[in-house]
Amino acid sequence: MRLISGKWGGTKLGAPKGRGTRPTTDRNREALFSMLAARLGFDGLNVLDGFAGSGALGLEALSRGAAQCLFVENDQAACAAIKANIAACGAQDDAALMRLDMRKARFDDGQFDLIFLDPPYGKGLAENVLPILRPSLAANALIVIEEDKRAAFKVPDAFIESDRRVKGDSMFIFLHAP
């Protein structure tokens, strides 16, 4: 696994051993960031990488010009991988890591311009977390959820789905809050 583009493009990333973490594949991450580049510029964005796993999504955003990224992950091995990946990129000044269950997370109002949620597939975790995250969204914030393509994702009230794309076994759901 590696970063696709930007100032750290080509940097190899590690992931925790075992099946507890399912990192977004390079191919899917490349497709996702091509879709995002058509929608927004990364320069200066404040990003949240929730259910961060290896941190690849947040690091890709930082590599492309995001100002800050907060990585939230509950698994100890995944946190160790994120910490190592942040160090491999030299991103310590732009990144923060919180070991925390996303369902218990609370953030400042209007804090995030871009949120990635890549929870364990098929458990409804993104749907549960979205209402908690609503106050932390900046104006025109974009939320990207990665889920299994067979999942029955229901958009919670107070959010609008702008797109849904299937890539391999994964589905990317793009949301915003009016």
Side-chain angles (χ1 to χ4, degrees):
M1 183 170 57
R2 63 182 174 80
L3 290 176
I4 305 301
S5 187
K7 63 185 171 186
W8 303 316
T11 301
K12 291 185 180 186
L13 301 176
K17 303 268 189 256
R19 297 186 182 268
T21 302
R22 172 205 31 79
T24 304
T25 65
D26 288 357
R27 175 176 278 170
N28 280 359
R29 201 164 2 92
E30 185 171 13
L32 171 61
F33 276 84
S34 291
M35 289 181 259
L36 288 173
R39 296 168 189 260
L40 53 85
F42 292 97
D43 289 344
L45 294 181
N46 287 317
V47 178
L48 170 65
D49 189 349
F51 305 98
S54 67
L57 295 173
L59 286 167
E60 189 73 46
L62 285 172
S63 183
R64 293 170 186 244
Q68 297 281 323
C69 185
L70 174 60
F71 298 87
V72 179
E73 175 57 60
N74 196 37
D75 181 77
Q76 183 175 355
C79 285
I82 294 166
K83 202 172 190 180
N85 290 335
I86 289 169
C89 294
Q92 294 90 332
D93 293 340
D94 305 324
L97 171 61
M98 290 176 63
R99 184 171 180 210
L100 180 68
D101 183 329
M102 276 297 298
R103 294 170 291 185
K104 297 177 182 172
R106 300 294 181 269
F107 306 104
D108 293 338
D109 289 353
Q111 184 174 352
F112 300 113
D113 304 297
L114 177 61
I115 295 178
F116 297 108
L117 296 176
D118 185 8
Y121 282 178
K123 297 185 178 184
L125 292 172
E127 291 99 317
N128 292 334
V129 167
L130 282 167
I132 296 167
L133 293 176
R134 176 66 177 96
S136 67
L137 300 176
N140 302 313
L142 179 64
I143 302 133
V144 180
I145 298 163
E146 184 176 348
E147 181 59 91
D148 184 277
K149 72 178 182 181
R150 296 168 290 275
F153 180 85
K154 183 179 181 314
V155 178
D157 292 340
F159 291 90
I160 296 171
E161 182 177 331
S162 58
D163 201 358
R164 194 177 287 221
R165 302 277 181 98
V166 173
K167 296 289 177 193
D169 288 334
S170 299
M171 170 174 52
F172 293 109
I173 304 159
F174 298 83
L175 305 175
H176 67 276

